[in-house]
Amino acid sequence: MPREADPAVRVAVAQASLLGESPLWHPREQALYWCDIPSHRLNRFDPRRGELSHWQFETDMASIAPMLDGGLLLAMRDGLWRLDTASGERERLAEPPYDPKLERFNDGKCDAQGRFWGGTMDFAIREPSGALYRFDGPGHCVRALDAGVALGDYHHDIWGSKDGAPAEIGAMAQTADGWLWIGSTSGLY
């Protein structure tokens, strides 16, 4: 039996995205941010004012994180950037640690130490070249884990590991004591 809709639940932002990813509630700004990867757009919604704004870029942006000293970290196809949300100015923090013609950043989050962890994917969705990178500060982005995954059937979000076993990457979470967990259908890492 279908449940009745809760009248207290409503759409917060009626803004269509081609591929909306990396929602971020910014606690200091009390605003919601999200990326629209193929549209090269970062969106921001201020619920107190009911204002929707955006920044348009020339390349894919897949994930974002608030920076401790203000602004946002943008994980883009052409590297990691700091965005000053007041001026719209970008500053490159790190070159892409991969060939941007073949790969791009995908999901990413910060750990308890403020380091940004970002996964990559093969843009053509064919090669098992995905990896997990850790950004420790300007100019310092290191390959932390060879994930060895390639997106198989994009429509079903199924990933294939190097040994051929299917795996769906579902989530990343950070524990209070600093552990980064990556959940997939083939296990928890």
Side-chain angles (χ1 to χ4, degrees):
M1 176 173 186
R3 291 178 27 172
E4 290 186 34
D6 182 344
V9 177
R10 60 185 172 79
V11 173
V13 184
Q15 170 70 29
S17 293
L18 292 176
L19 180 57
E21 293 272 346
S22 194
L24 165 72
W25 176 255
H26 198 296
R28 285 189 306 251
E29 296 181 17
Q30 295 291 292
L32 177 66
Y33 287 88
W34 72 97
C35 303
D36 187 349
I37 298 173
S39 295
H40 308 158
R41 178 181 282 195
L42 174 64
N43 297 289
R44 179 183 188 273
F45 179 66
D46 180 337
R48 291 172 298 178
R49 295 186 175 125
E51 292 177 357
L52 178 64
S53 56
H54 72 273
W55 293 264
Q56 191 68 46
F57 300 103
E58 295 181 13
T59 190
D60 302 325
M61 172 191 10
S63 54
I64 55 177
M67 299 199 67
L68 294 174
D69 56 355
L72 294 175
L73 183 143
L74 310 178
M76 302 183 76
R77 185 180 204 126
D78 59 353
L80 297 173
W81 297 81
R82 172 195 310 270
L83 174 69
D84 179 327
T85 56
S87 69
E89 295 294 317
R90 282 189 317 153
E91 170 192 356
R92 186 188 301 270
L93 299 172
E95 295 287 332
Y98 48 78
D99 183 347
K101 292 183 200 102
L102 304 175
E103 295 182 49
R104 71 165 171 82
F105 275 109
N106 200 30
D107 200 10
K109 301 286 183 234
C110 285
D111 66 15
Q113 288 77 39
R115 300 173 299 185
F116 181 79
W117 293 76
T120 61
M121 63 174 277
D122 169 44
F123 192 68
I125 312 173
R126 290 189 201 108
E127 297 299 319
S129 59
L132 183 64
Y133 290 89
R134 185 186 71 232
F135 174 66
D136 295 325
H140 198 258
C141 190
V142 297
R143 191 176 188 119
L145 173 69
D146 275 321
V149 295
L151 197 58
D153 182 347
Y154 181 75
H155 300 291
H156 293 101
D157 249 2
I158 301 298
W159 295 68
S161 64
K162 283 183 178 177
D163 65 5
E168 181 177 339
I169 307 301
M172 287 196 311
Q174 173 73 38
T175 64
D177 56 352
W179 287 91
L180 178 68
W181 293 94
I182 301 170
S184 78
T185 55
S186 66
L188 186 61
Y189 301 92

